[in-house]
Amino acid sequence: MKTLRKIIFPTAGMGTRFLPATKATPKEMLTIVDRPLIQYGVEEALAAKMDQIIMITGRGKRAIEDHFDISAELEANLKQAGKSELYKEVSRVARMAEVIYVRQKEALGLGHAVLRADHWINDEPFAVSLADELIVGAKPAMQQLREVYEQTGHSVLGLMQVPEDQVSKYGIVDYVAEDNGLLRLTDMVEKPSLKDAPSHLAIVGRYVFTPRLMELLRDVKPGKGNEIQLTDAIALLAKEEPVYGVLLDGERFDAGNPAGFLVANAVLGMNHHLYGEEFKQILKAHLD
Ligand code: G1P
């Protein structure tokens, strides 16, 4: 089995739901407590030993590149000012990963975004992570996927149960439970109506694929919303070879919509090692 090292982050989306905040700032750079959303995704990937990062960007996304780059001037200033904790953190972020940036010139769908990385995959397994699904828990979500990949050698999707009124917002899977406790996925439908949904198990933005997925993606035609859907390529893959689902442990925040984003800030804020206690007190005073 080939080692899993590569991970693709599609980050070219417009962030329309966050306008005007995202007029000049990528939505991936919006802050959850003390760091931008995309940094959570990258740290999760690194914790799962996926350290070859391919970021799919687009116009107006340069701030992401700057965030993971070295700012010699800033580092020198922080050092000189004796701000050693900040210096350590800023230099850690700048050196945490080697990132390749690939442009998605047109917004033709998630499948189209992933296919932009085709050239860099070189017949290796790869992960895909959607950073606006923020998943926190004792074991990083990507590590949970890695373990199933290493156990089976096949593709794996991260799943979570969603309420009925949410199924039309996600890719929803059909499956059979195997004796080994894994879910073997037999089909998946992008954003079905409730009556067409095969289950209430949603794909929550964490994927590991065999290289075959990329080949299938090359021929996928526009589907739901006239976009090239990653889900359609996975459904084809599941007809050729096993694709597994893992029910993820952890708490998920849909940070891609403003309400979920605010909840993520509130919950992670309350748990923050530096600001948590003060934040809780101030919040309580507001709620009383
Ligand atoms: C994408 C995928 C969908 C998945 C979702 C998770 O949809 O197409 O299958 O369930 O991410 O957030 P999007 O939210 O980008 O429209």
Side-chain angles (χ1 to χ4, degrees), residues 113-232:
V114 170
L115 192 55
R116 296 308 96 208
D118 193 0
H119 174 74
W120 300 99
I121 293 304
N122 293 332
D123 208 29
E124 283 181 43
F126 62 98
V128 174
S129 180
L130 307 185
D132 53 12
E133 293 279 1
L134 177 60
I135 303 173
V136 293
K139 191 184 276 187
M142 273 301 177
Q143 178 61 24
Q144 296 177 50
L145 268 68
R146 171 185 280 287
E147 287 172 10
V148 178
Y149 169 73
E150 286 177 352
Q151 183 187 338
T152 64
H154 292 298
S155 300
V156 194
L157 312 190
L159 305 173
M160 281 192 179
Q161 188 90 25
V162 292
E164 281 194 348
D165 63 345
Q166 302 274 307
V167 294
S168 63
K169 288 171 63 181
Y170 296 96
I172 301 290
V173 301
D174 202 357
Y175 62 92
V176 286
E178 291 197 340
D179 294 343
N180 53 12
L182 294 174
L183 303 180
R184 179 157 172 182
L185 306 184
T186 50
D187 199 8
M188 53 236 41
V189 197
E190 183 65 17
K191 303 189 176 76
S193 64
L194 182 58
K195 75 171 174 32
D196 293 331
S199 74
H200 294 171
L201 284 185
I203 306 167
V204 291
R206 298 293 185 279
Y207 312 80
V208 168
F209 294 119
T210 58
R212 177 70 181 141
L213 188 277
M214 207 51 111
E215 294 173 3
L216 291 169
L217 206 44
R218 290 177 202 148
D219 295 324
V220 167
K221 301 281 174 289
K224 186 95 183 179
N226 206 25
E227 293 187 339
I228 297 173
Q229 295 290 353
L230 182 60
T231 305
D232 292 346

Side-chain angles (χ1 to χ4, degrees), residues 8-66:
I8 301 170
F9 285 91
T11 63
M14 301 257 290
T16 319
R17 278 178 280 188
F18 285 93
L19 282 169
T22 46
K23 186 179 173 202
T25 303
K27 83 171 168 188
E28 296 77 12
M29 290 302 294
L30 298 180
T31 315
I32 305 275
V33 188
D34 61 353
R35 61 196 65 183
L37 191 48
I38 187 68
Q39 190 179 327
Y40 289 87
V42 168
E43 297 211 42
E44 180 193 317
L46 295 175
K49 298 198 169 52
M50 299 174 194
D51 56 0
Q52 297 181 5
I53 294 175
I54 304 157
M55 199 80 72
I56 312 298
T57 67
R59 250 176 309 134
K61 300 283 182 169
R62 290 282 292 278
I64 299 175
E65 297 182 37
D66 288 341

Side-chain angles (χ1 to χ4, degrees), residues 33-35 85 89 268-278:
V33 188
D34 61 353
R35 61 196 65 183
E85 287 307 311
E89 184 56 12
L268 271 64
M270 285 191 289
N271 292 325
H272 193 271
H273 65 290
L274 288 180
Y275 321 125
E277 283 314 310
E278 187 186 355

